[in-house]
Amino acid sequence: MPDIGSSQNVQEPPHLNGNISQNGERYPDKEESNMTGGSHSPTGSAKSRGSSRGSPAPSQLEREKFDLSLFVYPLEEKYQCPICGDVLRYPVQFIRECGHRVCCKCFDELKRVEPRCPVDQTPISKDDAYLDKAFHNEILALDVKCKNNEWGCKWEGEFQNYQDHVNSNCEYAEILCMNDCGAKFQKRFLQKHLDKDCPKKIIACPYCDDRHLREDKKAHLADECPKLPLPCPNKCDKKLEIPRDELDQHIEEVCPKTKMMCEFEYIGCTHRCSREKMPKHYKSNMIEHVKAVFVKIQELDGTLGKHENTLMEQADLIKAQDKRVGDLEKIANSQLIWRIEDYTRKLKEAKAGNGDTLFSPTFTTSKHGYRLCASVCLNGDGKGKGSHMSVFISVLKGAFDSLLKWPFDYRVTFYLLDQNEDHAQRKHIKFSIKPNPCPENEPFLGRPKLEKNASFGGAKFAKHDEIETRNYIKDDTIYIKISVDCDGLSEP
């Protein structure tokens, strides 16, 4: 179908190449510029006569033939091309020979042979033909009707406005649904389709405001919607509707038809009835419930007496054990054995600069003693960086610091334990440090003001090469023992 435009400046179709003229006059080919009807033609189109009127773009000339039955009045023969039989488009007239006209496109093909008029076979000069704009505008002004008139479209208008109507304005034109649901319908039914039928339209649930495709509405209401009103499954009230997410609470706490056990079940009552009938059961069986409660209290009283005796015995035993443990803490050196697993990976990460320091669990020198924490740098720190394992100790803030002697000055000894199965062959790596309680070491040894003091220890605790030579690593695990020589005499 031709695309009939409505522009005011007509651009010549590019087929003419400057060879059609008026009054035998030649015009430049495409190498030279030419202004026609106020517009610049990039291909050097021929000069034409007549006033300009809306016309289709040149690219539309090769579209399908126009249905001549759509003209309101029978199309006169002069408006038809004698070659293609279609309505004339950009008519070219043989003005000096016979005055007949053909389509611009047909004339372009006619020039390839010895040109003759297709009506009376009169030899024609292709240089004397011209583009008849006045006749072209006359055709554009012919009255046509919509191709959808058989479906009820009443539009009639000029030929030049036909395509705009069909493409943009005709309510009877067939279109596809914009939601890609596959439906095809007349444009006038678009809103109806979107409002009622389109399965791909996003709609809002009227109960929970969830947004979903119309085709998923049934599944949403059946399985997902938390606010869908549902009747009580116990049929306690035929008119009552409860949101899905409140239905369980209704059944368990409110519904009068819910079956439930008597509250005195734990003392032996086995009665079961609906919630609405339970008050009647309590009233009629009050004496039996009171008797059952009295019997149960007597049983519990006897059991409670036995438990009290047992609890007193356990309390005395715990007190004795606590005293024994306290005595042992004061006469034994405080220590921690720290198990470090996955040694190979952690050493590799330390060498790569990730996770340099590992921290031990906290421990105390006695029940009410100093609170400490050890740390280890598997790839070394300071002077031992890259060649040794480094170990350190930190004094942490404790619950009994106000009762302890400060600064901390007890000897701390580190051991890397040899895991040889033969105990006689074991050779532990040992490092011992005796803190110097001078003012300069106050940040390390003084009573902690923050969560923990600065660490002190040995940067060259154990060489990497030495660690690999014996059984310090077994099952990719090492053990570090930390011992504090605290006899408990200065502790509370």
Side-chain angles (χ1 to χ4, degrees):
M1 195 67 66
D3 185 10
I4 306 299
S6 58
S7 61
Q8 295 302 312
N9 294 322
V10 179
Q11 187 179 34
E12 313 292 346
H15 305 83
L16 304 182
N17 293 331
N19 291 324
I20 300 176
S21 62
Q22 184 178 3
N23 301 324
E25 184 179 357
R26 281 183 69 88
Y27 288 91
D29 287 335
K30 60 183 178 181
E31 288 81 4
E32 301 178 29
S33 62
N34 179 44
M35 299 296 291
T36 305
S39 298
H40 175 62
S41 175
T43 56
S45 300
K47 184 176 180 181
S48 58
R49 69 178 184 178
S51 62
S52 64
R53 189 183 180 98
S55 62
S59 60
Q60 305 298 326
L61 289 173
E62 299 183 12
R63 291 192 176 183
E64 61 193 51
K65 295 178 67 175
F66 186 77
D67 186 356
L68 302 184
S69 67
L70 296 180
F71 284 94
V72 175
Y73 305 103
L75 189 66
E76 297 182 38
E77 186 177 355
K78 67 177 181 177
Y79 297 129
Q80 290 182 252
C81 176
I83 296 179
C84 66
D86 195 6
V87 60
L88 283 167
R89 304 181 201 180
Y90 293 101
V92 176
Q93 185 176 25
F94 314 130
I95 187 172
R96 292 193 176 185
E97 290 82 1
C98 58
H100 294 128
R101 300 177 180 86
V102 296
C103 291
C104 179
K105 179 181 177 183
C106 295
F107 177 77
D108 198 36
E109 296 176 356
L110 192 66
K111 293 192 298 180
R112 299 173 186 172
V113 296
E114 183 176 348
R116 288 181 177 273
C117 175
V119 179
D120 55 16
Q121 297 301 312
T122 303
I124 59 176
S125 171
K126 56 186 179 182
D127 294 334
D128 292 336
Y130 79 99
L131 188 63
D132 193 344
K133 282 191 177 181
F135 197 71
H136 172 68
N137 291 336
E138 185 178 331
I139 294 174
L140 293 180
L142 295 175
D143 292 329
V144 295
K145 54 189 174 182
C146 178
K147 69 175 183 178
N148 297 312
N149 66 88
E150 59 181 317
W151 300 108
C153 182
K154 303 299 183 182
W155 180 86
E156 291 185 1
E158 293 185 350
F159 185 33
Q160 64 179 333
N161 298 324
Y162 173 83
Q163 203 65 39
D164 284 342
H165 166 75
V166 171
N167 290 343
S168 306
N169 303 319
C170 183
E171 292 295 315
Y172 293 83
E174 284 194 335
I175 60 173
L176 287 172
C177 176
M178 62 186 68
N179 293 328
D180 294 329
C181 72
K184 190 175 183 179
F185 43 81
Q186 292 180 359
K187 186 176 180 180
R188 60 191 174 124
F189 297 127
L190 172 62
Q191 197 59 47
K192 178 183 177 182
H193 170 76
L194 294 177
D195 292 343
K196 296 184 178 181
D197 303 323
C198 181
K200 299 296 183 182
K201 183 181 178 181
I202 296 178
I203 61 174
C205 174
Y207 305 111
C208 68
D209 292 331
D210 178 73
R211 300 182 67 80
H212 51 267
L213 298 179
R214 178 180 276 117
E215 63 185 0
D216 297 331
K217 177 180 179 180
K218 185 176 180 180
H220 170 73
L221 293 178
D223 304 318
E224 301 173 7
C225 182
K227 299 299 181 182
L228 178 70
L230 296 174
C232 174
N234 295 328
K235 300 179 180 179
C236 64
D237 187 343
K238 293 182 179 180
K239 297 181 179 180
L240 178 66
E241 289 188 334
I242 307 164
R244 175 182 276 142
D245 59 353
E246 299 176 13
L247 189 59
D248 289 343
Q249 182 182 6
H250 167 78
I251 295 172
E252 294 175 4
E253 302 177 7
V254 180
C255 181
K257 300 292 185 182
T258 299
K259 298 292 183 180
M260 55 187 299
M261 289 296 298
C262 174
E263 292 180 354
F264 296 94
E265 178 186 10
Y266 76 100
I267 59 171
C269 183
T270 59
H271 184 75
R272 178 182 175 87
C273 64
S274 62
R275 178 178 279 110
E276 63 184 354
K277 295 181 180 179
M278 192 59 70
K280 181 179 179 181
H281 166 72
Y282 290 148
K283 184 176 181 179
S284 61
N285 292 272
M286 184 182 301
I287 296 176
E288 288 79 3
H289 289 162
V290 172
K291 289 180 179 179
V293 170
F294 179 72
V295 173
K296 191 69 175 179
I297 290 175
Q298 287 182 321
E299 293 176 358
L300 293 176
D301 186 57
T303 304
L304 183 60
K306 295 178 181 179
H307 287 328
E308 285 180 348
N309 294 333
T310 303
L311 185 60
M312 291 177 64
E313 294 174 0
Q314 294 295 329
D316 293 339
L317 180 60
I318 292 173
K319 187 181 295 185
Q321 294 293 338
D322 188 51
K323 184 177 182 303
R324 182 170 179 269
V325 170
D327 293 340
L328 290 173
E329 286 179 341
K330 289 187 177 182
I331 64 174
N333 291 339
S334 303
Q335 66 179 29
L336 168 72
I337 296 181
W338 182 12
R339 173 187 173 95
I340 301 177
E341 300 178 337
D342 204 8
Y343 171 83
T344 304
R345 178 184 63 80
K346 292 176 180 177
L347 176 60
K348 185 177 180 180
E349 289 180 352
K351 290 182 177 181
N354 300 323
D356 286 343
T357 305
L358 303 178
F359 295 91
S360 76
T362 60
F363 65 102
T364 57
T365 57
S366 66
K367 183 177 181 180
H368 306 109
Y370 299 92
R371 183 164 169 256
L372 306 171
C373 176
S375 59
V376 61
C377 296
L378 298 181
N379 193 40
D381 184 65
K383 295 181 179 179
K385 185 75 172 180
S387 60
H388 289 71
M389 177 191 297
S390 302
V391 291
F392 304 94
I393 192 80
S394 298
V395 181
L396 307 181
K397 181 182 289 187
F400 305 97
D401 287 353
S402 61
L403 305 178
L404 300 174
K405 181 185 70 127
W406 299 100
F408 177 90
D409 61 352
Y410 296 101
R411 181 177 294 277
V412 181
T413 305
F414 299 89
Y415 301 87
L416 180 59
L417 300 182
D418 191 340
Q419 303 177 54
N420 195 320
E421 294 181 359
D422 185 353
H423 286 221
Q425 298 297 322
R426 288 181 176 177
K427 184 179 179 181
H428 305 313
I429 297 177
K430 176 182 176 182
F431 170 78
S432 181
I433 182 171
K434 179 70 168 69
N436 180 13
C438 60
E440 291 80 8
N441 289 335
E442 178 69 18
F444 301 91
L445 309 176
R447 179 179 174 181
K449 298 178 181 179
L450 301 177
E451 180 59 27
K452 74 169 188 172
N453 285 349
S455 302
F456 61 92
K460 295 184 177 181
F461 170 54
K463 291 183 178 180
H464 288 163
D465 296 340
E466 186 178 1
I467 296 173
E468 300 285 343
T469 57
R470 298 182 64 83
N471 293 301
Y472 300 113
I473 306 172
K474 195 169 185 179
D475 297 329
D476 205 25
T477 301
I478 63 172
Y479 292 90
I480 297 177
K481 176 181 175 182
I482 303 99
S483 177
V484 182
D485 295 337
C486 182
D487 57 12
L489 297 179
S490 62
E491 298 181 6

